[in-house]
């Protein structure tokens, strides 16, 4: 263990000489939270140099030595202003364990922009502040902050629990509600006040009705195609385009005259979607 | 989800469907409604370009002839437990209402039997948009074919009259 850590410790060393402000290391530490469990609570990165590295950074990294050196090389490109990363081990663990699907390391190892790690750094810093003062600071009035493609940072609202389980649940519920709202726009007859169960009822009914419509239309189409002479169908496409254009014009004209509900859902939707096109 | 509403996609789908219809007509004279339904679904899945789970599921397993009715074993189990523990099970079976509906939705959307709620809702919205486009396209083709049928006999009559 000590030999391995010494080896991995030697590799980034020339790099550290080049980059004395430890910018990239902070960014790297930020990028790879799940393998980078920091024991000490408050680091000042100027004191990192070089002795404390061995204990703090690499003490738990027996298996992650290679990946870490790789990350250091990758993160060499972007420069971020050095900020102290202080994180309680529990906080990093509990958040990172929930966020394994949204792994930052995979998304930003190819991402060399400097803004996103910085924002997520400040996010973690603020989250730490929020979580460390659980009794009093939990009642901060801050909103949720979401970062596309990276870890979602949720701040506790006033009067709400701040443990990681409820935070994660709130995020999950938020995602589900967002998708439900999308579906509400698509499925007709859904009110905003509907709960999940009613919405799902409507969705199921709508999907079933659409599938029945498709089945009915396929029967109708086979019936219509039996009388059709397909061998003489040379310029079929042009004729079809013409037919469709005529149909679209017809439907628009009928809609303008207030003729609703010609053929049920199909016509209604076709007219509504052809409008803005 | 938004790609299913563009006219371009609609044209692509209907032209592909029409070509598939022509081809199947030329090869085999008898086309059942179920074959046509399957062909239409597969063309729809192809138009989806493999980004969604339901489209991949449709393309991966099209060789089922006839409806597969799987026996629902869970129904039998609940009957037995109802006899043993009447009170407790009634309460427990009432609670996962949403779960039951999600299960029904999973049965409806192809290829989504084991998806989480989140992904299932996403697949559903895409599937609904695709189905709407399929309905529109098939009505258009049916209209076209029936109009062609109405015209063709008159043409033939006209040609016969000229002879």
């Amino acid at each position: 263990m000590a030999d391995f850590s010494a080896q991995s410790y030697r590799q980034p060393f020339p790099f550290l000489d080049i980059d004395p402000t430890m910018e990239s290391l902070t960014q790297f530490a930020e990028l790879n939270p799940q393998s980078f469990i920091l024991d000490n609570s408050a680091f000042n990165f100027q004191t990192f140099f070089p002795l404390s590295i061995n204990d703090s950074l690499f003490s738990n990294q027996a298996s992650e030595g290679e990946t870490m050196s790789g990350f250091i090389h990758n993160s060499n490109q972007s420069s971020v202003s050095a900020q102290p990363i202080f994180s309680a081990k529990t906080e990093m663990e509990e958040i990172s364990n929930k966020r394994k699907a949204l792994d930052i390391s995979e998304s930003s190892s190819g991402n060399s922009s400097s803004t996103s790690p910085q924002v997520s750094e400040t996010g973690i810093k603020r989250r730490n502040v929020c979580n460390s003062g659980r009794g009093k600071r939990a009642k901060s009035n801050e909103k949720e902050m979401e970062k596309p493609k990276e870890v979602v940072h949720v701040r506790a609202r006033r009067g709400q629990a701040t443990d990681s389980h409820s935070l994660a649940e709130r995020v999950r519920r938020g995602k589900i509600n967002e998708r439900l709202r999308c579906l509400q726009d698509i499925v007709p007859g859904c009110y905003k006040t509907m709960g999940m169960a009613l919405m799902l009822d409507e969705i199921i009914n709508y999907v079933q009705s659409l599938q029945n419509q498709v089945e009915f239309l396929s029967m109708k189409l086979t019936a219509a195609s039996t009388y059709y002479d397909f061998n003489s169908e040379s310029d079929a496409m042009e004729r079809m385009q013409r037919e469709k254009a005529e149909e679209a014009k017809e439907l628009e004209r009928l809609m303008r005259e207030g003729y609703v509900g010609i053929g049920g859902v199909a016509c209604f939707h076709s007219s509504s979607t052809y409008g803005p096109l | 989800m938004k790609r299913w509403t563009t006219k371009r996609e609609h044209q692509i789908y209907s032209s592909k469907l029409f070509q598939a219809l022509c081809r199947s007509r030329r090869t085999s004279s008898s086309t059942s409604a179920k074959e046509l339904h399957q062909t239409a679904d597969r063309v729809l899945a192809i138009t989806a370009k493999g980004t969604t789970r339901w489209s991949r599921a449709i393309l991966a397993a099209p060789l089922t002839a006839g409806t597969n009715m799987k026996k629902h074993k869970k129904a039998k189990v609940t009957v037995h437990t109802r006899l043993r523990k009447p009170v407790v099970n009634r309460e427990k079976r009432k609670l996962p209402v949403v779960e039951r509906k999600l299960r029904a939705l999973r049965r409806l959307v192809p290829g989504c039997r084991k998806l989480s709620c989140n992904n299932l809702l996403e697949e559903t919205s895409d599937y609904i948009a695709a189905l709407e486009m399929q309905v529109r396209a098939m009505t258009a083709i049916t209209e076209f074919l029936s109009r062609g049928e109405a015209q063709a006999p008159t043409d033939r009559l006209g040609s016969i009259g000229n002879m």
Side-chain angles (χ1 to χ4, degrees):
Chain A
M1 191 78 154
D3 295 335
F4 193 91
S5 59
Q7 282 175 14
S8 59
Y9 158 77
R10 256 180 239 130
Q11 277 176 346
F13 229 41
F15 162 75
L16 287 175
D17 290 335
I18 297 168
D19 205 351
T21 60
M22 310 293 294
E23 299 170 347
S24 319
L25 259 191
T26 66
Q27 184 193 351
F28 157 70
E30 173 51 41
L31 290 180
N32 205 357
Q34 71 185 29
S35 59
F36 205 86
I37 299 173
L38 307 172
D39 283 330
N40 305 336
S41 50
F43 291 137
N44 204 359
F45 261 79
Q46 278 72 34
T47 66
F48 242 34
F49 225 49
L51 301 170
S52 52
I53 293 175
N54 197 9
D55 302 324
S56 52
L57 292 184
F58 302 117
S59 55
N60 299 337
Q61 308 308 313
S63 60
E64 314 271 357
E66 289 97 22
T67 58
M68 275 172 30
S69 55
F71 270 118
I72 287 176
H73 291 307
N74 280 346
S75 57
N76 193 10
Q77 303 157 12
S78 51
S79 60
V80 177
S81 64
Q83 290 187 15
I85 288 188
F86 46 96
S87 53
K89 177 181 179 182
T90 53
E91 178 214 313
M92 292 293 272
E93 252 182 351
E94 62 199 6
I95 303 286
S96 61
N97 285 343
K98 309 281 183 195
R99 304 282 182 268
K100 275 191 181 159
L102 308 169
D103 195 352
I104 306 176
S105 56
E106 285 167 32
S107 65
S108 49
S109 60
N111 177 19
S112 57
S113 69
S114 58
T115 52
S116 47
Q118 188 176 13
V119 174
S120 52
E121 272 185 34
T122 55
I124 282 198
K125 188 170 79 170
R126 275 181 236 165
R127 193 175 358 121
N128 185 36
V129 166
C130 181
N131 278 340
S132 57
R134 271 175 201 225
K136 300 169 191 173
R137 298 208 188 158
K139 300 184 180 177
S140 60
N141 269 336
E142 294 162 333
K143 298 178 294 183
E144 277 188 27
M145 179 174 77
E146 282 203 28
K147 190 78 188 73
K149 294 185 192 174
E150 293 200 3
V151 170
V152 172
H153 302 297
V154 181
R155 295 184 215 166
R157 280 193 166 140
R158 189 180 176 86
Q160 288 185 351
T162 51
D163 50 305
S164 66
H165 293 289
S166 27
L167 281 177
E169 276 236 16
R170 215 176 300 148
V171 168
R172 175 184 164 267
R173 259 181 278 145
K175 277 192 231 164
I176 290 182
N177 284 333
E178 202 182 307
R179 304 230 197 265
L180 266 185
R181 254 175 270 141
C182 271
L183 274 170
Q184 251 177 11
D185 299 330
I186 293 182
V187 175
C190 286
Y191 311 103
K192 276 190 180 177
T193 53
M194 280 175 141
M196 179 100 159
L198 289 174
M199 279 293 310
L200 284 177
D201 271 337
E202 291 290 324
I203 292 168
I204 290 173
N205 283 335
Y206 191 55
V207 170
Q208 275 173 341
S209 75
L210 279 177
Q211 285 178 341
N212 288 340
Q213 258 183 335
V214 170
E215 200 171 322
F216 174 72
L217 275 174
S218 69
M219 279 194 282
K220 205 169 161 188
L221 197 57
T222 48
S225 65
T226 48
Y227 297 110
Y228 197 74
D229 184 15
F230 278 91
N231 293 324
S232 66
E233 213 23 76
S234 51
D235 51 351
M237 292 304 116
E238 300 163 22
R239 238 189 282 177
M240 270 191 64
Q241 311 303 337
R242 224 187 323 131
E243 291 279 341
K244 252 178 277 161
E246 288 173 17
E247 224 186 281
K249 271 184 248 165
E250 221 180 280
L251 284 168
E252 276 186 49
R253 189 172 24 97
L254 289 168
M255 282 304 289
R256 262 180 253 130
E257 291 171 6
Y259 205 128
V260 184
I262 296 171
V265 176
C267 290
F268 186 67
H269 273 272
S270 58
S271 56
S272 63
T273 49
Y274 281 152
L277 297 171
Chain B
M1 279 151 267
K2 291 191 180 168
R3 61 185 176 171
W4 296 111
T5 53
T6 58
K7 209 165 188 178
R8 180 87 191 111
E9 281 290 331
H10 184 271
Q11 280 177 0
I12 292 174
Y13 175 66
S14 39
S15 53
K16 278 192 185 168
L17 181 58
F18 194 75
Q19 284 170 10
L21 191 58
C22 289
R23 234 177 292 142
S24 65
R25 272 287 161 183
R26 276 183 210 137
T27 52
S28 66
S29 54
S30 65
T31 320
S32 66
K34 206 192 295 175
E35 271 181 50
L36 188 74
H37 192 178
Q38 274 183 5
T39 323
D41 284 339
R42 286 168 74 181
V43 176
L44 187 69
I46 288 170
T47 318
K49 288 181 196 158
T51 46
T52 49
R53 218 180 166 91
W54 59 263
S55 57
R56 294 195 290 264
I58 288 179
L59 290 174
L63 306 172
T64 56
T67 54
N68 292 337
M69 295 296 290
K70 292 183 182 175
K71 291 186 180 175
H72 296 283
K73 294 178 184 175
K74 287 187 178 176
K76 285 186 185 174
V77 175
T78 51
V79 168
H80 291 304
T81 54
R82 208 188 295 156
L83 294 173
R84 287 175 198 167
K85 298 174 188 176
V87 179
V88 180
N89 270 354
R90 237 177 263 157
E91 286 179 18
K92 280 187 183 171
R93 268 189 289 117
K94 276 283 182 181
L95 283 174
V97 158
V98 173
E99 266 304 316
R100 262 187 282 138
K101 303 201 173 155
L102 284 178
R103 213 179 298 164
L105 193 58
R106 282 194 188 103
R107 258 181 265 144
L108 284 177
V109 183
C112 297
R113 296 225 164 215
K114 292 190 179 179
L115 277 189
S116 58
C117 173
N118 198 0
N119 295 331
L120 179 67
L121 292 177
E122 192 176 351
E123 291 284 324
T124 308
S125 56
D126 198 67
Y127 186 57
I128 286 177
L131 279 181
E132 285 180 1
M133 195 198 76
Q134 190 179 19
V135 164
R136 282 201 302 268
M138 285 174 79
T139 38
I141 293 183
T142 318
E143 276 296 316
F144 169 66
L145 287 183
S146 52
R147 260 184 236 183
E149 176 207 336
Q151 286 169 9
T154 56
D155 288 344
R156 286 199 197 112
L157 281 174
S159 62
I160 289 174
N162 284 341
M163 280 165 59

